[in-house]
Amino acid sequence: NGMVSLDANAIYTIVFTAVLAPPLVLLHGAAKTVVLALAFALGAAHQVFVLHVPGEYWAHVLPGTLLARAARVALAGDGGPLVVPWWQAAVGALFFFGLSVSEVITTRLRRLGHLSHIMIFVAACSIVAGAAVQGLLRQRGSPREAPVALARALLDTACLAAIGLVLRAHRHDGQPMAVAFHSIQGLLLMLLAALQLGGWLAHQLASEAHVSSPALLATRMLQAVGWLLNGVWLIEMALLLYLMPGRLGLHHVVWLEPPDDDEAVSTYLALSVWLCVLLVVVGGTGGGSRRGTTGGGKAAELADPEMSALVPALAV
C-alpha cells in the first residue's frame, strides 16, 4: 500500500469533484443548477475519455451527488415522496431508460449481473418518473396529486428496497472491500425505504389530527440523513476504491500497512454516519426550513413551528 501514490489525473479529479459537487447539491435556481450540472457531466466525460479516469469512479460519484441533493429536497419537503420540477425528473427518467436500453444492446443480458443492472435502472426510472408526474400535477394544482402521492409512497418504497436487495448481493467487483461496500449500500437503501414510508405515514397521521410536532421535522431529518448517507457512501466508495486504473483509490494510498477490510469498512461507515447526521442537524436547525412548492413553482420561506420547537430541545 505504501508503494501506491496519487497521479496527477487523480489529484485533478479529487479537486474537480470537491469544487463542483457541493454547489450542485446545495444550489437553488433552475438556470444555475442546469449550467453546473452540464459542467459536471462534461468534466466527467473529459476525465473518462481523455484522462482515462476509471468510468467506475463517475458511475458512483454522479448518482451519489444526486442522492445527496435529494437530502436537501427531503428536508424541505412534506415527509412524502420527493417532488422536484417535472422537467428535471423527466430528464432523469429518460436517462435511466436510456441506460436500460444500452445495457440490453451492449450485453444482451448474458449474465445475471446484467439483469441486475436493468432492475436497478428500471426501479430508479420508476422513482423519477413518478416525481415528474407528481411535480407536474402540483404545478397545475390538480386534485389528482393526492392519489399519485399515495401510490408513490408505496411504489418508491418498493423500488428503493428492490435496488437495495440487488446491491446487497451484487458482485460487479469481487474485491472483499468492494463487496462489503456494495453490501452496506444495499442495506442503507433498504433503511432509506423504511424511513421514507415511515416519514410519510407520520406526516399523514399528524395532518389528519391537525398536529404540529418537532417529531415531524425529526422524521424529515432522518429521511434526509438516509438520502445523504447513501450519496456520501457512493462518493466515498469511488474515492477510496475507483479513483485510479487498476481499481485503486485513497484507501490504497493512505495506509502504510493494509488495514483489516472489516475494520476499515466499519470505520468508514461510522465516520460517514456521524458526518451526515451532523450536516443534516446543522442544515435542519441552522436558520429555518426552506419549504414551499417544489413542482416548478417559487419556493417560499415559511415559519416552521416544528423547527422553533426542536432547536431548544437540541440545545438542551
Side-chain angles (χ1 to χ4, degrees), residues 192-205:
L192 175 59
L195 291 172
Q196 282 296 114
L197 182 60
W200 175 79
L201 287 171
H203 280 73
Q204 289 297 308
L205 292 173

Side-chain angles (χ1 to χ4, degrees), residues 237-262:
M237 196 188 319
L239 288 167
L240 291 170
L241 303 182
Y242 303 122
L243 183 60
M244 296 179 289
R247 287 177 168 167
L248 298 173
L250 293 178
H251 176 75
H252 308 92
V253 174
V254 172
W255 309 115
L256 296 178
E257 296 183 6
D260 175 77
D261 288 339
D262 184 60

Side-chain angles (χ1 to χ4, degrees), residues 5-302:
S5 60
L6 292 177
D7 58 30
N9 289 341
I11 295 173
Y12 169 71
T13 299
I14 293 173
V15 173
F16 181 90
T17 305
V19 170
L20 266 69
L24 188 57
V25 170
L26 299 172
L27 202 61
H28 292 278
K32 294 178 181 178
T33 302
V34 169
V35 170
L36 190 58
L38 285 175
F40 203 52
L42 289 174
H46 172 261
Q47 290 166 43
V48 171
F49 295 110
V50 178
L51 302 181
H52 304 295
V53 172
E56 284 178 302
Y57 176 85
W58 284 105
H60 290 78
V61 169
L62 289 174
T65 303
L66 294 178
L67 286 169
R69 184 174 173 85
R72 181 175 61 79
V73 178
L75 188 59
D78 58 6
L82 300 186
V83 182
V84 297
W86 69 268
W87 60 269
Q88 291 183 17
V91 170
L94 289 174
F95 172 73
F96 285 115
F97 177 77
L99 286 178
S100 301
V101 173
S102 174
E103 184 79 13
V104 172
I105 293 174
T106 57
T107 69
R108 299 186 184 277
L109 303 182
R110 295 184 182 91
R111 296 190 297 106
L112 179 61
H114 300 148
L115 181 60
S116 298
H117 292 158
I118 293 292
M119 293 175 65
I120 292 172
F121 297 151
V122 170
C125 182
S126 173
I127 293 173
V128 293
V133 172
Q134 188 175 351
L136 184 60
L137 293 174
R138 177 170 296 185
Q139 185 181 39
R140 295 178 175 179
S142 172
R144 296 180 179 178
E145 183 191 351
V148 169
L150 172 60
R152 288 192 63 214
L154 302 177
L155 286 173
D156 287 11
T157 298
C159 288
L160 288 169
I163 297 173
L165 283 169
V166 171
L167 285 177
R168 190 185 65 83
H170 194 43
R171 296 291 185 271
H172 90 92
D173 181 355
Q175 297 181 86
M177 178 74 72
V179 171
F181 259 96
H182 284 87
S183 179
I184 290 173
Q185 187 84 61
L187 295 174
L188 291 178
L189 281 165
M190 287 186 279
L191 173 62
L192 175 59
L195 291 172
Q196 282 296 114
L197 182 60
W200 175 79
L201 287 171
H203 280 73
Q204 289 297 308
L205 292 173
S207 176
E208 293 177 3
H210 303 287
V211 172
S212 179
S213 166
L216 296 178
L217 175 58
T219 61
R220 293 199 303 277
M221 292 172 72
L222 285 173
Q223 289 174 331
V225 168
W227 288 103
L228 183 59
L229 183 56
N230 273 281
V232 165
W233 194 244
L234 273 174
I235 296 172
E236 197 171 328
M237 196 188 319
L239 288 167
L240 291 170
L241 303 182
Y242 303 122
L243 183 60
M244 296 179 289
R247 287 177 168 167
L248 298 173
L250 293 178
H251 176 75
H252 308 92
V253 174
V254 172
W255 309 115
L256 296 178
E257 296 183 6
D260 175 77
D261 288 339
D262 184 60
E263 180 183 12
V265 172
S266 297
T267 302
Y268 295 147
L269 179 60
L271 289 172
S272 300
V273 171
W274 176 82
L275 175 63
C276 291
V277 171
L278 178 64
L279 289 174
V280 169
V281 168
V282 171
T285 62
S289 174
R290 184 178 179 86
R291 301 181 66 182
T293 61
T294 53
K298 187 175 181 180
E301 298 288 347
L302 303 176

